[in-house]
DNA sequence: CTGTATCCAAACAGATACTG
DNA sequence: CAGTATCTGTTTGGATACAG
């Protein structure tokens, strides 16, 4: 825990003091974490990312990278070559995010089956007792 | 890490093998983590959550709770009293999520200022060199 | 190659009114 | 009290065409 839990305020404002919300606003979208994880492995250029992340559109890749750069998680390095080439790399700040992200990933790996089981159980229950 | 990182596949499919994506699909929305954190403190009833989470609509609270219940993260316990009363509680699975969530929260707390600084720096740079 | 611009469809989310 | 139903506005994201 981050020191003592302060006062443990009874009321939480989503837009306010909640730190988790901030992270989620940063990387809670569809593609950010994938990009961060990929860049955690090594520097990638635009087209590499585009190929690596199956299903992402050019538009979303651009937008997501721009947001990550704005938040100081990745750097954008254009090379004045022909053809042009742009490298994306994790910043120091971005690299620090890898650890907690990995923790989440581990959790997902560990409990993936439980979640699926719970979901099946829940959905089955709806089938057997749609008796209002 | 969850054992050896497999093959470290070069290509990641967003809908596929990425475990992080699964967690984010679970709690990556606007309200889920807040609810999980609140329920991590103690059991809450519907109206308590509604009051505690400033800004959430009844609709979103219902939908989010339903999703969390479906994924096996919270339990829903209706009491046949007058007036009716429904208690929401974290499941064992839900409680295991608190740790990685806290890790993220800590990260956010720690780096919040850096992010804001990076954002300002970035936005200022756009002001000073809109020279195409 | 690395984007931008535009258009459009679907998902998301709030407000409000109503029900058991 | 604890929802459900509906309607609507906003946001998100893909497809496509085009540009430096």
């Amino acid at each position: 825990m981050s020191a003592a839990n302060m006062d443990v305020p009874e009321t939480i404002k989503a837009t306010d003091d909640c730190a988790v919300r901030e992270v989620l606003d940063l990387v809670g979208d569809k593609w950010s974490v994938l990009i961060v994880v990929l860049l955690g492995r090594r520097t990638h250029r635009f087209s590499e990312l585009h190929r690596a992340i199956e299903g992402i559109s050019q538009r979303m890749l651009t937008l997501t990278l721009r947001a990550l750069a704005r938040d100081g998680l990745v750097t954008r390095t254009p090379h004045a070559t022909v053809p042009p080439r742009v490298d994306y790399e994790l910043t120091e700040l971005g690299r620090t995010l890898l650890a907690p992200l990995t923790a989440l990933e581990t959790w997902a790996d560990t409990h993936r089956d439980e979640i699926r089981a719970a979901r099946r159980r829940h959905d089955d229950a709806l089938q057997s007792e749609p008796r209002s």
Side-chain angles (χ1 to χ4, degrees), chain A:
Chain A
M1 266 28 75
S2 51
N5 253 343
M6 309 286 275
D7 204 347
V8 187
E10 177 57 30
T11 302
I12 296 183
K13 294 195 185 58
T15 46
D16 218 57
D17 57 338
C18 182
V20 183
R21 271 252 51 80
E22 290 207 35
V23 209
L24 289 176
D25 287 342
L26 249 59
V27 295
D29 63 279
K30 200 173 177 182
W31 308 107
S32 291
V33 285
L34 265 74
I35 294 177
V36 169
V37 167
L38 273 175
L39 294 183
R41 308 228 252 262
R42 63 169 175 83
T43 299
H44 282 69
R45 47 191 300 189
F46 187 87
S47 53
E48 285 176 332
L49 287 172
H50 198 189
R51 270 191 306 275
I53 305 173
E54 205 146 312
I56 196 173
S57 65
Q58 207 170 32
R59 177 183 128 94
M60 287 318 295
L61 182 54
T62 302
L63 289 179
T64 308
L65 284 171
R66 201 188 293 172
L68 290 174
R70 184 175 118 97
D71 294 329
L73 296 178
V74 313
T75 56
R76 178 183 183 277
T77 315
H79 300 279
T81 59
V82 174
R85 166 213 184 99
V86 181
D87 284 333
Y88 291 93
E89 189 172 5
L90 238 46
T91 62
E92 180 55 38
L93 178 60
R95 276 191 293 277
T96 64
L97 183 56
L98 284 175
L101 237 44
T102 302
L104 256 196
E105 189 168 25
T106 302
W107 184 90
D109 265 334
T110 309
H111 300 287
R112 174 183 298 211
D113 291 338
E114 295 179 61
I115 293 165
R116 297 207 173 126
R119 204 169 287 183
R120 253 193 312 279
R121 224 176 304 125
H122 185 98
D123 293 350
D124 288 352
L126 287 182
Q127 295 258 324
S128 48
E129 38 165 315
R131 284 256 148 265
S132 104

